[in-house]
Amino acid sequence: MKEQKEHILDPTPRKYWDSFPKLDLRQRSLFACDSATQRVINKITQDDYKVGFLLQVIYFTRKRQFFPASHFPLEHIRAARKALALPISESRLIYPADVASRHKRKILEVYDWHTFDGPFKQQLTNVAQSLVDKRRRKSDIAYFLLDYCLDQHREVPSYAVIRDIIQAKYHEYESNIGKEIRKRLTDENNAALTQLVHSSEEFLLHRDVKRINQGVRRQDCIMNGDILNRFQKLYVEFHHVIDSMRLTQEATEDLAIWVKQA
């Protein structure tokens, strides 16, 4: 069965991540090139290759990403042809992948940026690990990794690459915590947990436990005191397990929310 990928960003930012930049084709300055880019274009002999190179430059300078030529919007191609004073053509853009790849390397060289390669992916994975260990929100980690790529002058990878890095590290983190918990639990702890699960309807899943009663009546205060007393007893029994997890404040809050919503 194919593994279902969990999304870490909402649909709108997820779509924006991998989409072409929005271009106002009415702006004359949109296709204006600096001298270095113009020199490269002047050396290109085939018209379609000029168009492809120019569009790659525009996309890269706006999103620090590269896109497959087969997905270049037709209106962008027409506007680029017009800006380069080339004949308007209704045929599809002939821009082979090997040519686009050579142009990509040239663009990175001209702008003093670097490709998203294997060693940098491992570096980015290590950064993600340090954030996951603090149990940061997945969406926050995604944007942090994006900023890290930009700070390091690296091309921005696809959303899927970032998603897979974060998910892999989260699964590793949760697996390690699970192993540590199982190693630390005593027979008495397991028996207490079993009893707690069986009594969950009376305690853990009770609405008064999941949502603190803000009332000041004597009855409300007694009930809150009883709940706190029961949690205190649980903490005393399991504090050696909790301490072994070495959770940050962010991790504690995140896991508490997960338990509350479970």
Side-chain angles (χ1 to χ4, degrees):
M1 179 180 290
K2 187 176 180 181
E3 181 183 358
Q4 185 176 6
K5 296 293 186 179
E6 174 194 356
H7 290 301
I8 60 179
L9 294 179
D10 292 334
T12 298
R14 193 167 70 230
K15 181 179 179 181
Y16 173 79
W17 190 297
D18 286 329
S19 66
F20 286 89
K22 292 184 178 181
L23 305 178
D24 186 354
L25 301 179
R26 297 168 298 180
Q27 290 183 353
R28 293 184 178 182
S29 60
L30 178 63
F31 294 95
C33 301
D34 55 40
S35 56
T37 303
Q38 190 61 56
R39 282 195 297 270
V40 176
I41 291 178
N42 291 339
K43 293 179 181 178
I44 299 175
T45 56
Q46 298 196 38
D47 290 351
D48 278 1
Y49 293 4
K50 290 184 178 182
V51 172
F53 182 85
L54 178 58
L55 288 177
Q56 287 213 82
V57 168
I58 292 172
Y59 299 150
F60 175 75
T61 54
R62 280 157 177 77
K63 295 197 68 175
R64 302 304 180 185
Q65 289 174 287
F66 294 94
F67 301 90
S70 58
H71 295 167
F72 286 2
L74 182 58
E75 60 270 23
H76 291 182
I77 296 173
R78 289 172 176 169
R81 286 186 182 278
K82 183 178 180 180
L84 292 169
L86 299 175
I88 300 300
S89 173
E90 295 300 324
S91 59
R92 68 182 184 89
L93 185 70
I94 307 299
Y95 192 46
D98 61 328
V99 176
S101 182
R102 290 201 307 271
H103 287 177
K104 169 185 169 179
R105 292 194 296 270
K106 189 65 179 178
I107 292 169
L108 291 171
E109 176 187 336
V110 168
Y111 288 91
D112 194 25
W113 277 60
H114 309 282
T115 188
F116 186 88
D117 55 14
F120 184 75
K121 182 178 180 181
Q122 183 57 53
Q123 183 178 339
L124 197 67
T125 299
N126 294 339
V127 173
Q129 177 70 70
S130 68
L131 297 170
V132 168
D133 285 345
K134 296 180 177 63
R135 196 73 183 191
R136 304 290 189 186
R137 289 190 182 90
K138 293 181 180 180
S139 57
D140 292 341
I141 296 177
Y143 289 124
F144 186 95
L145 297 183
L146 171 61
D147 290 339
Y148 187 82
C149 288
L150 299 177
D151 290 341
Q152 298 295 315
H153 280 208
R154 293 282 179 166
E155 67 167 304
V156 175
S158 67
Y159 163 76
V161 170
I162 297 294
R163 176 201 63 202
D164 291 348
I165 287 175
I166 296 173
Q167 286 185 338
K169 286 304 169 183
Y170 250 80
H171 292 159
E172 180 181 318
Y173 171 84
E174 291 167 353
S175 176
N176 290 338
I177 282 188
K179 291 177 182 177
E180 187 64 28
I181 291 175
R182 286 190 291 272
K183 184 172 67 175
R184 299 279 181 172
L185 287 174
T186 64
D187 291 341
E188 292 78 9
N189 293 151
N190 285 321
L193 286 174
T194 300
Q195 182 179 0
L196 190 62
V197 170
H198 289 320
S199 64
S200 60
E201 288 295 337
E202 301 175 10
F203 182 51
L204 281 186
L205 298 185
H206 197 283
R207 64 180 180 86
D208 292 330
V209 174
K210 299 179 71 174
R211 182 174 300 170
I212 297 175
N213 190 329
Q214 301 291 337
V216 295
R217 296 179 306 168
R218 183 172 180 273
Q219 180 180 355
D220 297 330
C221 293
I222 291 175
M223 182 182 66
N224 287 340
D226 179 59
I227 291 172
L228 289 174
N229 184 52
R230 298 182 71 173
F231 273 118
Q232 171 68 14
K233 291 179 179 178
L234 286 172
Y235 175 77
V236 169
E237 183 161 5
F238 290 98
H239 76 86
H240 67 286
V241 181
I242 297 171
D243 291 345
S244 71
M245 296 166 66
R246 297 186 294 276
L247 298 176
T248 62
Q249 182 66 27
E250 294 89 350
T252 302
E253 293 175 358
D254 182 69
L255 291 173
I257 292 173
W258 182 86
V259 170
K260 181 178 178 181
Q261 294 176 344

